[in-house]
Coordinates of all heavy atoms in Angstrom, one line a residue:
T1 N -13.9 12.8 22.6 CA -12.9 13.5 21.9 C -12.1 12.3 21.4 O -11.7 11.3 22.0 CB -11.9 14.3 22.9 OG1 -12.7 15.3 23.4 CG2 -10.8 14.8 22.1
T2 N -11.8 12.3 20.0 CA -11.1 11.3 19.3 C -9.6 11.8 19.3 O -9.2 13.0 19.1 CB -11.6 11.3 17.8 OG1 -13.0 10.8 17.9 CG2 -10.8 10.1 17.2
A3 N -8.7 10.8 19.6 CA -7.3 11.1 19.5 C -6.8 11.6 18.2 O -7.5 11.1 17.1 CB -6.5 9.8 20.0
A4 N -5.8 12.3 18.1 CA -5.2 12.7 16.8 C -4.8 11.6 16.0 O -4.3 10.4 16.5 CB -4.2 13.6 17.0
P5 N -4.8 11.5 14.6 CA -4.3 10.4 13.8 C -2.8 10.3 13.9 O -2.2 11.2 14.3 CB -4.7 10.8 12.5 CG -4.8 12.4 12.5 CD -5.4 12.7 13.9
E6 N -2.4 9.1 13.8 CA -0.9 8.7 13.9 C -0.5 7.9 12.7 O -1.3 7.1 12.1 CB -0.6 7.9 15.1 CG -0.9 8.6 16.5 CD -0.6 7.8 17.7 OE1 -0.2 6.7 17.4 OE2 -0.9 8.3 18.7
A7 N 0.7 8.1 12.3 CA 1.2 7.4 11.1 C 2.7 7.3 11.2 O 3.4 8.1 11.8 CB 0.8 8.2 9.8
S8 N 3.2 6.1 10.6 CA 4.6 5.9 10.5 C 4.8 5.3 9.0 O 4.0 4.5 8.6 CB 5.1 4.9 11.5 OG 4.3 3.6 11.4
L9 N 5.9 5.7 8.5 CA 6.2 5.4 7.0 C 7.4 4.3 7.1 O 8.2 4.2 8.1 CB 6.5 6.4 6.2 CG 5.5 7.6 6.0 CD1 6.0 8.6 5.0 CD2 4.2 7.0 5.7
N10 N 7.4 3.5 6.1 CA 8.4 2.5 6.0 C 8.4 1.4 7.2 O 9.4 1.1 7.7 CB 9.9 3.1 5.9 CG 10.1 3.7 4.5 OD1 9.4 3.4 3.5 ND2 11.1 4.5 4.5
A11 N 7.2 1.0 7.5 CA 7.0 0.2 8.7 C 7.4 -1.2 8.3 O 7.6 -2.1 9.2 CB 5.4 0.2 9.1
L12 N 7.3 -1.7 6.9 CA 7.7 -2.9 6.6 C 9.0 -2.9 5.8 O 9.1 -2.2 4.7 CB 6.6 -3.5 5.7 CG 5.2 -3.6 6.4 CD1 4.1 -4.1 5.5 CD2 5.3 -4.4 7.7
P13 N 10.1 -3.6 6.1 CA 11.4 -3.5 5.4 C 11.4 -4.1 4.1 O 12.3 -3.7 3.3 CB 12.3 -4.1 6.5 CG 11.5 -5.2 7.2 CD 10.1 -4.5 7.3
R14 N 10.6 -5.1 3.8 CA 10.8 -5.7 2.5 C 9.9 -5.4 1.4 O 9.8 -5.9 0.4 CB 10.6 -7.2 2.7 CG 11.7 -7.9 3.7 CD 11.6 -9.4 3.7 NE 12.6 -9.9 4.4 CZ 12.9 -11.4 4.7 NH1 12.1 -12.2 4.1 NH2 13.8 -11.7 5.5
A15 N 9.2 -4.2 1.6 CA 8.2 -3.7 0.6 C 9.0 -2.5 -0.1 O 9.8 -1.8 0.6 CB 6.9 -3.3 1.2
D16 N 8.5 -2.1 -1.2 CA 9.0 -0.9 -1.9 C 8.6 0.3 -1.1 O 9.2 1.3 -1.0 CB 8.4 -0.7 -3.3 CG 9.0 -1.9 -4.2 OD1 10.2 -2.3 -3.9 OD2 8.5 -2.1 -5.3
G17 N 7.3 0.2 -0.4 CA 6.9 1.4 0.4 C 5.8 0.8 1.4 O 5.1 -0.1 1.0
S18 N 5.8 1.3 2.6 CA 4.8 0.9 3.4 C 4.4 2.0 4.5 O 5.2 3.0 4.6 CB 5.4 -0.3 4.3 OG 6.5 0.0 5.0
A19 N 3.3 1.8 5.1 CA 2.8 2.8 6.1 C 1.9 2.2 7.1 O 1.3 1.1 6.8 CB 2.0 3.8 5.4
R20 N 1.9 2.6 8.4 CA 0.9 2.2 9.3 C 0.2 3.4 9.8 O 0.7 4.5 10.1 CB 1.6 1.4 10.5 CG 0.5 1.1 11.6 CD 1.2 0.4 12.7 NE 1.6 -1.1 12.4 CZ 2.8 -1.5 12.2 NH1 3.9 -0.6 12.5 NH2 3.0 -2.7 11.8
Y21 N -1.2 3.4 9.8 CA -1.9 4.5 10.1 C -3.1 4.1 11.3 O -3.7 3.0 11.1 CB -2.8 4.9 8.9 CG -3.7 6.1 9.1 CD1 -3.4 7.3 9.2 CD2 -5.0 5.8 9.1 CE1 -4.2 8.4 9.3 CE2 -6.0 6.7 9.3 CZ -5.6 8.2 9.4 OH -6.4 9.1 9.5
S22 N -3.2 4.9 12.2 CA -4.2 4.7 13.3 C -5.0 6.0 13.6 O -4.4 7.1 13.7 CB -3.4 4.3 14.6 OG -2.7 3.1 14.4
Y23 N -6.4 5.7 13.6 CA -7.2 7.0 13.9 C -8.6 6.3 14.1 O -9.1 5.4 13.4 CB -7.2 7.9 12.8 CG -8.0 9.1 13.1 CD1 -7.8 9.9 14.2 CD2 -9.2 9.5 12.2 CE1 -8.5 11.1 14.5 CE2 -9.9 10.6 12.4 CZ -9.6 11.4 13.6 OH -10.4 12.4 13.8
A24 N -9.3 7.0 15.1 CA -10.7 6.7 15.4 C -11.0 5.1 15.6 O -12.1 4.6 15.4 CB -11.6 7.2 14.3
G25 N -10.0 4.5 16.3 CA -10.2 3.1 16.6 C -9.7 2.0 15.5 O -9.7 1.0 15.8
Y26 N -9.3 2.7 14.4 CA -8.8 1.8 13.3 C -7.3 1.9 13.2 O -6.8 2.8 13.3 CB -9.5 2.1 11.9 CG -11.0 2.1 11.8 CD1 -11.8 3.2 12.1 CD2 -11.6 0.8 11.6 CE1 -13.2 3.0 12.0 CE2 -12.9 0.6 11.5 CZ -13.7 1.7 11.7 OH -15.1 1.5 11.6
T27 N -6.7 0.7 13.0 CA -5.3 0.6 12.7 C -5.2 -0.2 11.4 O -5.6 -1.4 11.3 CB -4.5 0.0 13.8 OG1 -4.7 0.9 15.0 CG2 -3.1 0.0 13.5
V28 N -4.5 0.3 10.4 CA -4.2 -0.4 9.1 C -2.7 -0.2 8.8 O -2.2 0.8 8.9 CB -5.2 0.3 8.0 CG1 -5.0 -0.5 6.7 CG2 -6.6 0.2 8.4
T29 N -2.3 -1.3 8.3 CA -0.8 -1.4 7.7 C -1.0 -1.7 6.2 O -1.7 -2.5 5.8 CB 0.0 -2.4 8.4 OG1 0.2 -2.1 9.8 CG2 1.4 -2.5 7.9
A30 N -0.3 -0.9 5.4 CA -0.2 -1.2 3.9 C 1.1 -1.3 3.4 O 2.2 -0.7 3.9 CB -0.9 0.1 3.3
S31 N 1.3 -2.2 2.4 CA 2.6 -2.3 1.6 C 2.3 -2.1 0.2 O 1.3 -2.4 -0.3 CB 3.2 -3.7 1.8 OG 2.3 -4.7 1.2
V32 N 3.3 -1.5 -0.5 CA 3.1 -1.2 -1.9 C 4.4 -1.8 -2.6 O 5.5 -1.6 -2.2 CB 3.0 0.4 -2.1 CG1 3.3 0.6 -3.7 CG2 1.7 0.9 -1.6
N33 N 4.0 -2.5 -3.7 CA 5.2 -2.9 -4.5 C 4.9 -2.6 -6.0 O 3.8 -2.8 -6.4 CB 5.4 -4.5 -4.3 CG 5.9 -4.8 -3.0 OD1 7.2 -4.7 -2.8 ND2 5.1 -5.4 -2.1
G34 N 6.0 -2.2 -6.7 CA 5.7 -1.8 -8.0 C 6.2 -0.4 -8.3 O 6.7 0.4 -7.5
P35 N 6.1 0.0 -9.6 CA 5.6 -0.9 -10.8 C 6.4 -2.0 -11.1 O 7.6 -2.0 -11.2 CB 5.6 0.1 -11.9 CG 5.6 1.4 -11.4 CD 6.5 1.3 -10.2
I36 N 5.7 -3.2 -11.2 CA 6.4 -4.4 -11.6 C 5.7 -5.1 -12.9 O 4.6 -4.7 -13.2 CB 6.4 -5.5 -10.4 CG1 5.0 -5.7 -9.9 CG2 7.3 -5.0 -9.3 CD1 4.9 -6.8 -8.9
E37 N 6.4 -6.0 -13.4 CA 5.8 -6.6 -14.7 C 4.5 -7.2 -14.5 O 4.4 -8.0 -13.5 CB 6.8 -7.5 -15.3 CG 6.3 -8.1 -16.7 CD 7.3 -9.1 -17.3 OE1 8.5 -9.2 -16.7 OE2 7.0 -9.7 -18.3
A38 N 3.5 -7.0 -15.2 CA 2.1 -7.6 -14.9 C 2.1 -8.9 -15.6 O 2.6 -9.2 -16.6 CB 1.1 -6.7 -15.5
Q39 N 1.2 -9.8 -15.0 CA 1.0 -11.1 -15.7 C 0.0 -10.8 -16.8 O -0.7 -9.8 -16.9 CB 0.2 -12.0 -14.7 CG 1.1 -12.3 -13.4 CD 0.5 -13.4 -12.5 OE1 -0.6 -13.8 -12.7 NE2 1.1 -13.6 -11.4
R40 N -0.1 -11.8 -17.6 CA -0.9 -11.6 -18.8 C -2.4 -11.2 -18.6 O -2.8 -10.4 -19.3 CB -0.9 -12.9 -19.7 CG -1.7 -12.9 -21.0 CD -1.0 -12.2 -22.1 NE 0.3 -12.8 -22.4 CZ 1.0 -12.4 -23.6 NH1 0.5 -11.4 -24.3 NH2 2.0 -12.9 -23.9
R41 N -2.9 -11.7 -17.5 CA -4.4 -11.5 -17.3 C -4.6 -10.0 -16.7 O -5.6 -9.6 -16.9 CB -4.9 -12.5 -16.3 CG -4.2 -12.5 -15.0 CD -4.7 -13.6 -14.1 NE -4.0 -13.9 -12.8 CZ -4.1 -13.0 -11.8 NH1 -5.1 -12.1 -11.7 NH2 -3.4 -13.2 -10.6
D42 N -3.6 -9.5 -16.2 CA -3.6 -8.1 -15.6 C -3.0 -7.0 -16.5 O -3.0 -5.8 -16.3 CB -3.0 -8.0 -14.2 CG -3.6 -9.0 -13.2 OD1 -4.9 -9.1 -13.4 OD2 -2.9 -9.5 -12.4
E43 N -2.4 -7.5 -17.6 CA -1.7 -6.6 -18.5 C -2.6 -5.7 -19.3 O -3.6 -6.0 -19.8 CB -0.9 -7.4 -19.4 CG 0.2 -6.6 -20.2 CD 1.1 -7.4 -21.2 OE1 0.5 -7.8 -22.3 OE2 2.1 -7.8 -20.8
H44 N -2.1 -4.4 -19.2 CA -2.9 -3.4 -20.1 C -1.8 -2.6 -20.9 O -0.8 -2.3 -20.4 CB -3.5 -2.3 -19.1 CG -4.6 -1.4 -19.9 ND1 -4.2 -0.5 -20.7 CD2 -6.0 -1.5 -19.8 CE1 -5.3 0.1 -21.3 NE2 -6.3 -0.4 -20.6
A45 N -2.2 -2.6 -22.2 CA -1.2 -2.1 -23.3 C -0.8 -0.6 -22.9 O 0.4 -0.3 -23.3 CB -1.8 -2.2 -24.6
Y46 N -1.6 0.2 -22.3 CA -1.4 1.5 -22.2 C -1.4 2.2 -20.8 O -1.0 3.4 -20.7 CB -2.5 2.4 -23.0 CG -2.6 2.0 -24.4 CD1 -3.7 1.3 -24.8 CD2 -1.7 2.3 -25.4 CE1 -3.7 0.8 -26.2 CE2 -1.8 2.0 -26.7 CZ -2.8 1.2 -27.0 OH -2.9 0.8 -28.5
E47 N -1.5 1.4 -19.9 CA -1.4 1.9 -18.4 C -1.1 0.8 -17.4 O -1.2 -0.5 -17.8 CB -2.7 2.6 -18.1 CG -4.0 1.7 -18.0 CD -5.2 2.6 -17.8 OE1 -5.2 3.7 -18.3 OE2 -6.0 2.0 -17.0
A48 N -0.8 1.2 -16.2 CA -0.6 0.2 -15.2 C -1.9 -0.3 -14.5 O -2.9 0.5 -14.5 CB 0.3 0.7 -14.1

């Protein structure tokens, strides 16, 4: 029997958004920043 998934939001205070997720033996933390100005090599004229 696998334990139920668990998640918490805003786990990191200095990011625009963040989350921590645990399930089936895996634990992952994510941070999201943006939309922010892109560097020239990543810039796309019509989309992010």
